[in-house]
């Protein structure tokens, strides 16, 4: 195959992968949100809404470490909770996929 024909194809494949390498950042005010795995810790709090945090895409997961994928999902769920006025999340066990990390939880105001 001619290299001149291959380069545009590779460019079209690589460009989207590079653009999605950043991990969800933690909003400055989201640091007050705490994750809990035991429902007893939020049983006296006011339920607000379910939230789902995720990080990773089919085209960029190879370039992001597992640690960064998990941290990105945590930042995403904490950011969503903070936008709702929550300061606590009851998080369910990680929903790990082959190309991403997702965290399901309920946002609470405690």
């Amino acid at each position: 195959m001619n290299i001149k024909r291959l380069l545009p194809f590779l460019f079209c494949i690589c460009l989207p992968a590079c653009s999605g390498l950043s991990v969800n950042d933690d909003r400055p005010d989201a640091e007050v949100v705490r994750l809990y795995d035991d429902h007893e810790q939020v049983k006296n709090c006011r339920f607000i809404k379910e939230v789902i945090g995720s990080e990773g895409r089919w085209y960029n997961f190879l370039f992001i470490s597992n640690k960064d994928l998990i941290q990105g999902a945590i930042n995403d769920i904490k950011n969503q909770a903070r936008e709702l006025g929550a300061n606590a999340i009851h998080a369910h066990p990680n929903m790990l996929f082959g190309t991403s990390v997702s965290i399901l939880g309920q946002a609470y105001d405690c």
Side-chain angles (χ1 to χ4, degrees), residues 56-77:
R57 307 289 180 268
W58 66 268
Y59 54 82
N60 70 355
F61 75 97
L62 289 172
F63 306 106
I64 303 174
S65 70
N66 287 336
K67 180 181 174 183
D68 287 340
L69 285 171
I70 293 168
Q71 187 62 58
I74 290 170
N75 291 347
D76 188 30
I77 200 169

Side-chain angles (χ1 to χ4, degrees), residues 26-101:
D26 200 6
R27 290 175 29 158
D29 62 338
E31 65 188 28
V32 300
V33 178
R34 297 289 176 247
L35 293 175
Y36 299 106
D37 62 354
D38 185 0
H39 188 263
E40 289 294 313
Q41 295 170 302
V42 293
K43 72 177 184 177
N44 295 323
C45 302
R46 181 180 64 89
F47 171 77
I48 298 175
K49 185 178 180 182
E50 289 195 348
V51 287
I52 300 171
S54 64
E55 182 63 51
R57 307 289 180 268
W58 66 268
Y59 54 82
N60 70 355
F61 75 97
L62 289 172
F63 306 106
I64 303 174
S65 70
N66 287 336
K67 180 181 174 183
D68 287 340
L69 285 171
I70 293 168
Q71 187 62 58
I74 290 170
N75 291 347
D76 188 30
I77 200 169
K78 287 173 73 175
N79 290 341
Q80 290 178 46
R82 195 65 198 139
E83 288 175 8
L84 296 170
N87 61 2
I89 299 170
H90 173 236
H92 296 274
N94 283 351
M95 299 168 57
L96 300 174
F97 300 95
T99 59
S100 66
V101 174

